[in-house]
Amino acid sequence: MSESTRTPINLVVLGPPGAGKGTQAVEFAQRHEILKISTGDILRDAVQSGTDLGQRAKATMDAGGLVDDQLMIAIVKARLSRADAAGGFVLDGFPRTVTQATALDEIMAGQGALIVVDIAVPDDALVERLAKRRVCGQCGNASSIASGEVVGTMTRCEKCGGELVLRSDDAEAVVRERLRVYAEATRPLVDYYSSRPTFRVIDGHQSPIAVAAALTAAVDDVRAVVSAGSPGSEGAAR
Ligand code: ADP
């Protein structure tokens, strides 16, 4: 077995709302049989089950804002400390601020390279995608209503038959606020990571299959660079 197949993949998927991070994270994690951690899903589950976390996060999420950094850091730190994360992971939705990114570096210190891939999509395409996005109220699967289709005509999830609904924070005004918050708080992460040899940008304005191929190629490329380095290069390449 080569070095690159043995070393766990620790991947952060960055990108604006609607870039397809969630879809790609699920697909990548399944294909590589590694853990997927989506902070958006964790928060939505908490809201749905009415836990203390859900009650604290709901209003912020509904307004398109960001949940408190320290709360998010504690959630991710706890999840990454569990045994199943040692085999590698895909992080979707975290980090979202430079404070969260700095904390992730501390959590990952000495634990191998952190691969960061930014899925880039132009703003006008994002607004259109989010307006068409529907999620299954039962299994959470994301779908897109076809262009020209009357909203509400496709009402069943193709995976489980559950009813498709507009995600509460995909309402137009909230989408605009999420994009504003992204530009202000999350886009600076591209600068935070961009000088690292483990950072790549891929084109997210293409089909999901093409984006998945670009993501895999980017991760393979980083792993080749990291494993070509001398022992200890992972720390340096962080
Ligand atoms: P998207 O990427 O489509 O905007 P997510 O499902 O990742 O949506 O997140 C939904 C909402 O959950 C965010 O708008 C935000 O309110 C909250 N959230 C998720 N992850 C974080 C995080 N790391 N820090 C702060 N808030 C978060």
Side-chain angles (χ1 to χ4, degrees):
M1 209 187 261
S2 74
E3 176 66 20
S4 65
T5 48
R6 265 188 289 121
T7 316
I9 298 174
N10 300 327
L11 172 65
V12 167
V13 181
L14 286 185
K21 298 184 299 290
T23 305
Q24 296 300 331
V26 168
E27 201 273 338
F28 189 93
Q30 275 174 356
R31 197 148 35 86
H32 292 83
E33 297 182 333
I34 57 177
L35 177 69
K36 183 211 65 156
I37 302 171
S38 161
T39 48
D41 287 348
I42 291 172
L43 292 172
R44 277 186 290 277
D45 283 350
V47 169
Q48 203 155 18
S49 10
T51 62
D52 185 43
L53 169 66
Q55 284 170 19
R56 288 170 71 180
K58 187 176 186 319
T60 308
M61 292 172 74
D62 283 348
L66 291 183
V67 175
D68 175 68
D69 276 337
Q70 297 313 320
L71 186 58
M72 297 312 301
I73 291 165
I75 290 169
V76 171
K77 187 172 183 181
R79 190 63 194 86
L80 287 176
S81 72
R82 279 161 53 183
D84 56 355
F89 57 81
V90 183
L91 263 177
D92 157 32
F94 185 96
R96 239 180 171 94
T97 63
V98 172
T99 303
Q100 293 179 13
T102 310
L104 182 61
D105 280 341
E106 281 164 17
I107 294 167
M108 291 302 296
Q111 313 244 7
L114 187 67
I115 302 173
V116 181
V117 179
D118 182 39
I119 304 181
V121 178
D123 273 0
D124 48 354
L126 294 172
V127 174
E128 195 184 329
R129 280 188 192 181
L130 291 166
K132 287 182 185 166
R133 176 160 76 177
R134 295 294 179 277
V135 290
C136 175
Q138 213 158 282
C139 75
N141 180 45
S143 310
S144 172
I145 54 171
S147 57
E149 188 170 5
V150 179
V151 176
T153 52
M154 188 186 70
T155 53
R156 294 282 152 198
C157 170
E158 59 183 23
K159 286 206 170 142
C160 77
E163 191 181 354
L164 294 179
V165 292
L166 185 72
R167 212 173 88 177
S168 60
D169 59 351
D170 280 347
E172 199 186 324
V174 184
V175 163
R176 258 191 252 112
E177 175 62 8
R178 282 161 61 210
L179 289 172
R180 194 194 65 74
V181 168
Y182 169 79
E184 187 181 289
T186 310
R187 195 167 285 151
L189 283 183
V190 174
D191 288 335
Y192 180 84
Y193 287 122
S194 65
S195 62
R196 298 184 183 185
T198 52
F199 176 79
R200 296 288 181 280
V201 179
I202 60 170
D203 178 10
H205 197 204
Q206 45 181 347
S207 71
I209 290 176
V211 178
L215 178 59
T216 297
V219 170
D220 287 349
D221 184 44
V222 169
R223 281 160 66 76
V225 168
V226 168
S227 67
S230 53
S233 64
E234 289 191 3
R238 173 172 73 69

